[in-house]
Amino acid sequence: MAYFHDGEQPPLTDLEAWHGRERGDFFVGEAPAPAPAPARPAGPVFRLQCPAGCPPVAAARCLTVLRQAILSAIQLASNAERALKQVLEPGPRARSKEDEETVRLFRAFFGHDPSRPVPWAGNQASGVSVAYRFRKVAEALQGRGTLYRCGCPGAGANIVAQTNAGAEPNVIELCPQFWNPPAGLRLSDRFFRAGTLIHEMLHLLFHEFFHHQGHPSGDPERRRDNSNCYESFALRVAGHAADPSAVRQCRVRPG
C-alpha cells in the first residue's frame, strides 16, 4: 500500500486517491541499524473514488470535503468515548454538569442509564460497550484504509450513505445527499457528513448485529445496536444538533 502526503496526488491513471504519509527512510552503513518502526500516518488513511466529481462538489474538492468529514467524525467518536469513560470512572466522586448532561443524553438515545449492568456482557456497565464501539469507530476512520465511493446505485433518494459488509467489507458508498445535505438542518454540512460516517462505520465494524429494521436477517433492531442512536448521541454530547431523521429512527426503537 502506498501512502501519499496531503496534497500529493496518485498517478492520473489511478482513480483511487489516498491520504496519509510515506514511511521513513532507512539508514544504510557497514553495520545497518535496525529498521525503524513503520511511520504512523499523520492524517486519516482512506481512498476515494471520485473520477468525475460528486455533485455539487467538483472533483478537485471531493477529497478535501471527505477528509474534513472524516477528521470531524474521529473527533466526535473520540469525544463520545471520553465523555462516557468519565461518567463511568470508578471511585466515589460527584458528577459534574458535563457528566449529568452525558447521562441525560445517553438515557434519551439509549433508553437507560449508562451504568446499567448488561447481563450477557458479564454485568459490565452498558456505557462501557458503547464507549468501546466509539473507540473502534475512531480507530477505523483513522487507519482502516476504507474505500469511499461516490454514488449509490439503486439507493432511494433519501439514503445518505450505504454499506454492504458481506459483499464489500471495507467500502462505504456516499450518496448524493452526503455531498448535498438537506436544507433546514441546524447542523453544519461538515458535521452532518461526520455523523453519517460514524453511522456507516458501525455497520462495517459490527455488521453481525448492527442492522436496520427490515434487514434480511430478521434481527430485531434495538437502540443499543442502532447506528442512528450512536450518530445522534455523538453529535449531541459534543454540543451539536443532530439530524432529526436519525433521532426519529433511533427513538422509535425499544431501549
Side-chain angles (χ1 to χ4, degrees):
M1 180 184 295
Y3 294 113
F4 291 84
H5 294 282
D6 286 346
E8 188 175 70
Q9 296 295 321
L12 293 178
T13 55
D14 187 355
L15 297 180
E16 296 181 346
W18 295 78
H19 261 269
R21 187 175 69 188
E22 295 173 328
R23 297 178 184 275
D25 295 327
F26 291 88
F27 291 101
V28 180
E30 294 182 2
R40 183 176 181 180
V45 179
F46 65 94
R47 297 174 288 161
L48 172 63
Q49 285 184 345
C50 179
C54 302
V57 180
R61 285 278 300 157
C62 288
L63 199 63
T64 298
V65 169
L66 178 57
R67 184 174 186 274
Q68 289 174 343
I70 293 173
L71 289 170
S72 294
I74 293 169
Q75 176 189 11
L76 289 174
S78 299
N79 178 73
E81 181 203 10
R82 179 202 61 77
L84 286 171
K85 289 175 75 172
Q86 182 172 299
V87 164
L88 298 170
E89 191 175 78
R93 71 178 185 88
R95 282 179 172 175
S96 66
K97 288 184 178 181
E98 181 186 23
D99 293 342
E100 293 294 349
E101 179 64 1
T102 298
V103 171
R104 185 188 72 80
L105 291 169
F106 193 95
R107 287 173 176 159
F109 292 115
F110 295 100
H112 57 269
D113 193 279
S115 64
R116 189 181 81 174
V118 181
W120 56 88
N123 283 325
Q124 74 174 2
S126 175
V128 171
S129 61
V130 173
Y132 166 79
R133 288 167 190 157
F134 276 124
R135 175 164 59 84
K136 300 309 290 184
V137 165
E139 291 174 351
L141 288 166
Q142 172 68 33
R144 185 178 169 98
T146 298
L147 169 62
Y148 297 89
R149 186 179 294 144
C150 182
C152 301
N158 293 326
I159 303 299
V160 182
Q162 63 184 15
T163 61
N164 183 352
E168 296 183 301
N170 199 26
V171 174
I172 296 177
E173 292 185 333
L174 304 173
C175 310
Q177 250 193 53
F178 179 87
W179 303 100
N180 188 23
L185 297 177
R186 293 184 298 114
L187 179 65
S188 71
D189 289 355
R190 177 171 180 166
F191 281 97
F192 172 81
R193 297 180 182 117
T196 298
L197 296 182
I198 289 175
H199 182 123
E200 296 304 326
M201 189 56 75
L202 284 161
H203 284 306
L204 283 186
L205 295 178
F206 306 105
H207 61 90
E208 298 91 346
F209 53 95
F210 265 75
H211 306 307
H212 287 314
Q213 196 75 7
H215 189 270
S217 67
D219 291 345
E221 185 182 30
R222 302 182 70 88
R223 294 190 188 188
R224 64 175 177 263
D225 53 15
N226 185 323
S227 292
N228 291 298
C229 298
Y230 283 73
E231 170 191 344
S232 301
F233 176 79
L235 284 162
R236 292 292 294 114
V237 83
H240 299 281
D243 176 9
S245 175
V247 173
R248 186 167 54 250
Q249 292 178 73
C250 168
R251 289 182 171 168
V252 296
R253 302 300 172 211

